[in-house]
Amino acid sequence: MLLSIDIGNTNITFGIFKQSSAKVVSYANFTTDRTLTTDDIAVKYMNLLKLWELEDVQLHNVIISSVVPTLEYPFTHMFEKYFDVSPSFVDKSGIPVKLIYDFPAE
């Protein structure tokens, strides 16, 4: 399975995809809280897996996009600590589209 996470200023969105078909299996949103710790995130994520009945599914890849730099370490640490997976981060530099915003990193 592929887990995609979008860490935004307002919400954090989790989406689980079947890698073979790129179909969304489940998704959920949480309010962004810049004080989340590694273990806070682990509890939220593990509860999602239980809710989705995916506790036994093998996680192969985690891709994260983020405009909240303070949450990048807790997310990275959580996946490395509990799931032995190093997430990949995507940002505006990997997108061949010119962003015409005052603050494109946001």
Side-chain angles (χ1 to χ4, degrees):
M1 291 288 194
L2 166 68
L3 174 64
S4 175
I5 302 171
D6 176 26
I7 305 172
N9 288 315
T10 305
N11 291 305
I12 299 171
T13 303
F14 291 78
I16 293 271
F17 296 82
K18 283 186 182 178
Q19 283 189 244
S20 59
S21 64
K23 288 188 177 184
V24 176
V25 175
S26 290
Y27 64 93
N29 293 299
F30 292 103
T31 302
T32 300
D33 177 356
R34 287 164 175 73
T35 65
L36 287 171
T37 66
T38 295
D39 295 320
D40 292 331
I41 297 164
V43 169
K44 287 181 179 288
Y45 179 64
M46 289 178 194
N47 282 334
L48 275 180
L49 291 178
K50 186 173 183 177
L51 179 69
W52 294 336
E53 298 177 354
L54 296 173
E55 301 103 302
D56 298 327
V57 171
Q58 179 66 36
L59 182 63
H60 296 288
N61 291 306
V62 178
I63 300 173
I64 300 174
S65 65
S66 173
V67 295
V68 185
T70 57
L71 288 176
E72 292 174 15
Y73 174 78
F75 270 86
T76 299
H77 187 233
M78 188 276 290
F79 284 105
E80 291 174 346
K81 179 178 178 181
Y82 292 109
F83 296 95
D84 198 30
V85 174
S86 293
S88 299
F89 282 82
V90 294
D91 61 22
K92 64 179 176 51
S93 66
I95 302 171
V97 175
K98 185 174 180 178
L99 300 176
I100 307 173
Y101 292 101
D102 293 334
F103 306 102
E106 297 177 0

